PDB file of all heavy atoms in Angstrom:
ATOM      1  N   ILE A1485      -7.722   2.571 -17.682  1.00 97.00           N
ATOM      2  CA  ILE A1485      -8.379   3.761 -17.156  1.00 97.00           C
ATOM      3  C   ILE A1485      -8.737   4.763 -18.263  1.00 97.00           C
ATOM      4  O   ILE A1485      -9.773   5.432 -18.200  1.00 97.00           O
ATOM      5  CB  ILE A1485      -7.501   4.428 -16.085  1.00 97.00           C
ATOM      6  CG1 ILE A1485      -7.557   3.626 -14.784  1.00 97.00           C
ATOM      7  CG2 ILE A1485      -7.927   5.863 -15.798  1.00 97.00           C
ATOM      8  CD1 ILE A1485      -8.940   3.615 -14.129  1.00 97.00           C
ATOM      9  N   GLY A1486      -7.886   4.884 -19.286  1.00 96.00           N
ATOM     10  CA  GLY A1486      -8.119   5.871 -20.353  1.00 96.00           C
ATOM     11  C   GLY A1486      -9.516   5.805 -20.941  1.00 96.00           C
ATOM     12  O   GLY A1486     -10.272   6.802 -20.894  1.00 96.00           O
ATOM     13  N   PRO A1487      -9.931   4.674 -21.499  1.00 96.00           N
ATOM     14  CA  PRO A1487     -11.293   4.584 -22.050  1.00 96.00           C
ATOM     15  C   PRO A1487     -12.385   4.756 -20.990  1.00 96.00           C
ATOM     16  O   PRO A1487     -13.423   5.396 -21.250  1.00 96.00           O
ATOM     17  CB  PRO A1487     -11.333   3.171 -22.652  1.00 96.00           C
ATOM     18  CG  PRO A1487      -9.904   2.825 -22.907  1.00 96.00           C
ATOM     19  CD  PRO A1487      -9.137   3.476 -21.792  1.00 96.00           C
ATOM     20  N   LEU A1488     -12.180   4.177 -19.802  1.00 96.00           N
ATOM     21  CA  LEU A1488     -13.190   4.305 -18.744  1.00 96.00           C
ATOM     22  C   LEU A1488     -13.418   5.768 -18.382  1.00 96.00           C
ATOM     23  O   LEU A1488     -14.550   6.182 -18.091  1.00 96.00           O
ATOM     24  CB  LEU A1488     -12.763   3.520 -17.497  1.00 96.00           C
ATOM     25  CG  LEU A1488     -12.866   1.988 -17.583  1.00 96.00           C
ATOM     26  CD1 LEU A1488     -12.222   1.343 -16.350  1.00 96.00           C
ATOM     27  CD2 LEU A1488     -14.314   1.546 -17.726  1.00 96.00           C
ATOM     28  N   ALA A1489     -12.341   6.560 -18.392  1.00 95.00           N
ATOM     29  CA  ALA A1489     -12.473   7.992 -18.078  1.00 95.00           C
ATOM     30  C   ALA A1489     -13.321   8.711 -19.115  1.00 95.00           C
ATOM     31  O   ALA A1489     -13.961   9.730 -18.817  1.00 95.00           O
ATOM     32  CB  ALA A1489     -11.085   8.632 -17.998  1.00 95.00           C
ATOM     33  N   GLN A1490     -13.347   8.174 -20.346  1.00 94.00           N
ATOM     34  CA  GLN A1490     -14.139   8.768 -21.419  1.00 94.00           C
ATOM     35  C   GLN A1490     -15.524   8.131 -21.542  1.00 94.00           C
ATOM     36  O   GLN A1490     -16.264   8.422 -22.489  1.00 94.00           O
ATOM     37  CB  GLN A1490     -13.395   8.618 -22.752  1.00 94.00           C
ATOM     38  CG  GLN A1490     -12.000   9.229 -22.775  1.00 94.00           C
ATOM     39  CD  GLN A1490     -12.014  10.706 -22.444  1.00 94.00           C
ATOM     40  OE1 GLN A1490     -12.890  11.450 -22.933  1.00 94.00           O
ATOM     41  NE2 GLN A1490     -11.070  11.137 -21.615  1.00 94.00           N
ATOM     42  N   GLY A1491     -15.843   7.257 -20.588  1.00 93.00           N
ATOM     43  CA  GLY A1491     -17.145   6.597 -20.625  1.00 93.00           C
ATOM     44  C   GLY A1491     -17.222   5.466 -21.618  1.00 93.00           C
ATOM     45  O   GLY A1491     -18.312   5.054 -22.024  1.00 93.00           O
ATOM     46  N   GLN A1492     -16.057   4.954 -22.046  1.00 94.00           N
ATOM     47  CA  GLN A1492     -16.012   3.878 -23.029  1.00 94.00           C
ATOM     48  C   GLN A1492     -15.470   2.601 -22.388  1.00 94.00           C
ATOM     49  O   GLN A1492     -14.835   2.640 -21.326  1.00 94.00           O
ATOM     50  CB  GLN A1492     -15.126   4.279 -24.211  1.00 94.00           C
ATOM     51  CG  GLN A1492     -15.595   5.548 -24.918  1.00 94.00           C
ATOM     52  CD  GLN A1492     -14.564   6.050 -25.912  1.00 94.00           C
ATOM     53  OE1 GLN A1492     -13.528   5.423 -26.108  1.00 94.00           O
ATOM     54  NE2 GLN A1492     -14.855   7.188 -26.543  1.00 94.00           N
ATOM     55  N   ALA A1493     -15.687   1.485 -23.061  1.00 93.00           N
ATOM     56  CA  ALA A1493     -15.200   0.203 -22.547  1.00 93.00           C
ATOM     57  C   ALA A1493     -13.828  -0.096 -23.139  1.00 93.00           C
ATOM     58  O   ALA A1493     -13.654  -0.025 -24.357  1.00 93.00           O
ATOM     59  CB  ALA A1493     -16.175  -0.917 -22.900  1.00 93.00           C
ATOM     60  N   PRO A1494     -12.834  -0.411 -22.328  1.00 96.00           N
ATOM     61  CA  PRO A1494     -11.516  -0.773 -22.850  1.00 96.00           C
ATOM     62  C   PRO A1494     -11.545  -2.140 -23.522  1.00 96.00           C
ATOM     63  O   PRO A1494     -12.481  -2.925 -23.326  1.00 96.00           O
ATOM     64  CB  PRO A1494     -10.632  -0.789 -21.600  1.00 96.00           C
ATOM     65  CG  PRO A1494     -11.568  -1.044 -20.474  1.00 96.00           C
ATOM     66  CD  PRO A1494     -12.881  -0.429 -20.858  1.00 96.00           C
ATOM     67  N   ASP A1495     -10.529  -2.438 -24.293  1.00 96.00           N
ATOM     68  CA  ASP A1495     -10.412  -3.728 -24.975  1.00 96.00           C
ATOM     69  C   ASP A1495      -9.874  -4.757 -23.974  1.00 96.00           C
ATOM     70  O   ASP A1495      -8.664  -4.925 -23.816  1.00 96.00           O
ATOM     71  CB  ASP A1495      -9.467  -3.593 -26.175  1.00 96.00           C
ATOM     72  CG  ASP A1495      -9.403  -4.867 -27.016  1.00 96.00           C
ATOM     73  OD1 ASP A1495      -9.857  -5.919 -26.523  1.00 96.00           O
ATOM     74  OD2 ASP A1495      -8.884  -4.802 -28.139  1.00 96.00           O
ATOM     75  N   VAL A1496     -10.800  -5.442 -23.314  1.00 96.00           N
ATOM     76  CA  VAL A1496     -10.420  -6.387 -22.266  1.00 96.00           C
ATOM     77  C   VAL A1496      -9.595  -7.542 -22.822  1.00 96.00           C
ATOM     78  O   VAL A1496      -8.649  -8.022 -22.177  1.00 96.00           O
ATOM     79  CB  VAL A1496     -11.679  -6.903 -21.536  1.00 96.00           C
ATOM     80  CG1 VAL A1496     -11.318  -8.031 -20.576  1.00 96.00           C
ATOM     81  CG2 VAL A1496     -12.355  -5.770 -20.781  1.00 96.00           C
ATOM     82  N   GLY A1497      -9.922  -7.980 -24.042  1.00 95.00           N
ATOM     83  CA  GLY A1497      -9.191  -9.092 -24.636  1.00 95.00           C
ATOM     84  C   GLY A1497      -7.714  -8.775 -24.833  1.00 95.00           C
ATOM     85  O   GLY A1497      -6.840  -9.577 -24.493  1.00 95.00           O
ATOM     86  N   THR A1498      -7.431  -7.580 -25.354  1.00 96.00           N
ATOM     87  CA  THR A1498      -6.038  -7.174 -25.563  1.00 96.00           C
ATOM     88  C   THR A1498      -5.318  -7.009 -24.235  1.00 96.00           C
ATOM     89  O   THR A1498      -4.150  -7.399 -24.086  1.00 96.00           O
ATOM     90  CB  THR A1498      -5.981  -5.856 -26.354  1.00 96.00           C
ATOM     91  OG1 THR A1498      -6.623  -6.043 -27.613  1.00 96.00           O
ATOM     92  CG2 THR A1498      -4.547  -5.409 -26.576  1.00 96.00           C
ATOM     93  N   LEU A1499      -6.011  -6.429 -23.252  1.00 96.00           N
ATOM     94  CA  LEU A1499      -5.404  -6.248 -21.931  1.00 96.00           C
ATOM     95  C   LEU A1499      -5.089  -7.596 -21.295  1.00 96.00           C
ATOM     96  O   LEU A1499      -4.035  -7.774 -20.681  1.00 96.00           O
ATOM     97  CB  LEU A1499      -6.349  -5.451 -21.029  1.00 96.00           C
ATOM     98  CG  LEU A1499      -6.489  -3.958 -21.332  1.00 96.00           C
ATOM     99  CD1 LEU A1499      -7.581  -3.340 -20.473  1.00 96.00           C
ATOM    100  CD2 LEU A1499      -5.167  -3.243 -21.091  1.00 96.00           C
ATOM    101  N   ALA A1500      -6.000  -8.553 -21.445  1.00 95.00           N
ATOM    102  CA  ALA A1500      -5.777  -9.886 -20.867  1.00 95.00           C
ATOM    103  C   ALA A1500      -4.558 -10.545 -21.503  1.00 95.00           C
ATOM    104  O   ALA A1500      -3.770 -11.213 -20.818  1.00 95.00           O
ATOM    105  CB  ALA A1500      -7.015 -10.749 -21.047  1.00 95.00           C
ATOM    106  N   GLU A1501      -4.369 -10.349 -22.801  1.00 95.00           N
ATOM    107  CA  GLU A1501      -3.196 -10.907 -23.473  1.00 95.00           C
ATOM    108  C   GLU A1501      -1.906 -10.300 -22.925  1.00 95.00           C
ATOM    109  O   GLU A1501      -0.903 -10.996 -22.760  1.00 95.00           O
ATOM    110  CB  GLU A1501      -3.290 -10.652 -24.980  1.00 95.00           C
ATOM    111  CG  GLU A1501      -4.318 -11.527 -25.688  1.00 95.00           C
ATOM    112  CD  GLU A1501      -4.364 -11.244 -27.176  1.00 95.00           C
ATOM    113  OE1 GLU A1501      -3.578 -10.398 -27.652  1.00 95.00           O
ATOM    114  OE2 GLU A1501      -5.189 -11.867 -27.869  1.00 95.00           O
ATOM    115  N   SER A1502      -1.934  -8.999 -22.625  1.00 93.00           N
ATOM    116  CA  SER A1502      -0.733  -8.336 -22.104  1.00 93.00           C
ATOM    117  C   SER A1502      -0.407  -8.792 -20.688  1.00 93.00           C
ATOM    118  O   SER A1502       0.736  -8.683 -20.244  1.00 93.00           O
ATOM    119  CB  SER A1502      -0.909  -6.813 -22.138  1.00 93.00           C
ATOM    120  OG  SER A1502      -1.899  -6.388 -21.215  1.00 93.00           O
TER     121      SER A1502
END
Side-chain angles (χ1 to χ4, degrees):
I1485 285 295
L1488 286 172
Q1490 303 302 317
Q1492 301 170 3
D1495 186 345
V1496 172
T1498 301
L1499 287 173
E1501 287 180 2
S1502 68

